[in-house]
Amino acid sequence: MALSIEFKLLKELDELRAAHERADYFFVVVLAPQLLVQIIDTLASYSEEWIERKITSKFTREEKEVYRLAGQLQKKESDRSYIVGALVSIFESGHWEACSAKSNFVKYFTKLDDLVSLRNVFSHEYYIKEISINRAKNCSKAGIQLAELFAEQLYSEGENA
């Protein structure tokens, strides 16, 4: 029996949580951005399916091709800008109450920025720069929190798809 993509992604999130608990922060920091991109891609596929069913009959063939190409380019963006775009979508969707929406966006944006910055240090300068355990732990936790935020969206969208 094939596992659903949602189940596989949630299982990967559980693996990141377990790695964080055993203090394998390097593992979490390096893999959390990729998991975020996979979750966002899955969420985007729900939107694409909805658009196909509901809206695209109103689009010309040329318009459909333009949107397909734009979507293809967005998937090639850097992890950071791709995930920030998804955070903006959460902000715009009203996921957070209006009185706390900006502060929640800034909180998650800051977590993402530090996570991806540390991931890049690990990827390119691991043997050159010394990283504090506290920063690695905080970024690891932030990666999990970001993945949980999008996994919550994944779960609710999966039920509605």
Side-chain angles (χ1 to χ4, degrees):
M1 179 177 179
L3 299 175
S4 72
I5 186 70
E6 294 88 356
F7 180 79
K8 289 177 185 175
L9 293 172
L10 294 174
K11 186 176 179 194
E12 287 185 39
L13 177 55
D14 286 340
E15 290 173 15
L16 289 183
R17 287 183 186 118
H20 180 80
E21 289 300 315
R22 64 177 185 271
D24 190 353
Y25 308 130
F26 179 87
F27 180 85
V28 178
V29 168
V30 169
L31 294 181
Q34 274 57 42
L35 178 60
L36 286 164
V37 168
Q38 289 176 341
I39 291 171
I40 293 165
D41 281 347
T42 302
L43 289 168
S45 74
Y46 296 147
S47 296
E48 290 166 6
E49 289 169 11
W50 184 84
I51 288 170
E52 280 294 319
R53 287 194 316 268
K54 305 289 184 186
I55 297 175
T56 57
S57 61
K58 298 176 184 177
F59 291 144
T60 66
R61 184 173 292 162
E62 290 81 16
E63 289 171 325
K64 288 179 187 179
E65 180 65 10
V66 166
Y67 292 129
R68 185 190 68 76
L69 289 172
Q72 203 174 42
L73 180 62
Q74 287 175 332
K75 287 183 180 181
K76 293 179 181 177
E77 290 182 64
S78 72
D79 292 348
R80 189 183 321 222
S81 62
Y82 187 62
I83 298 166
V84 166
L87 276 174
V88 169
S89 293
I90 288 176
F91 173 81
E92 291 173 340
S93 75
H95 177 77
W96 297 303
E97 291 188 28
C99 62
S100 64
K102 179 187 172 203
S103 64
N104 277 313
F105 176 83
V106 170
K107 174 178 77 173
Y108 283 105
F109 175 88
T110 304
K111 289 174 187 283
L112 172 65
D113 194 40
D114 200 29
L115 171 69
V116 174
S117 293
L118 184 58
R119 190 268 321 257
N120 291 342
V121 169
F122 280 166
S123 297
H124 304 291
E125 303 174 54
Y126 182 70
Y127 295 104
I128 299 170
K129 288 189 175 178
E130 192 170 318
I131 306 298
S132 75
I133 294 295
N134 194 42
R135 180 174 182 211
K137 182 179 180 178
N138 288 339
C139 286
S140 175
K141 184 178 178 183
I144 292 168
Q145 290 170 335
L146 282 158
E148 288 171 341
L149 173 68
F150 287 104
E152 179 183 313
Q153 299 289 313
L154 180 70
Y155 181 75
S156 65
E157 288 293 325
E159 288 181 339
N160 296 329

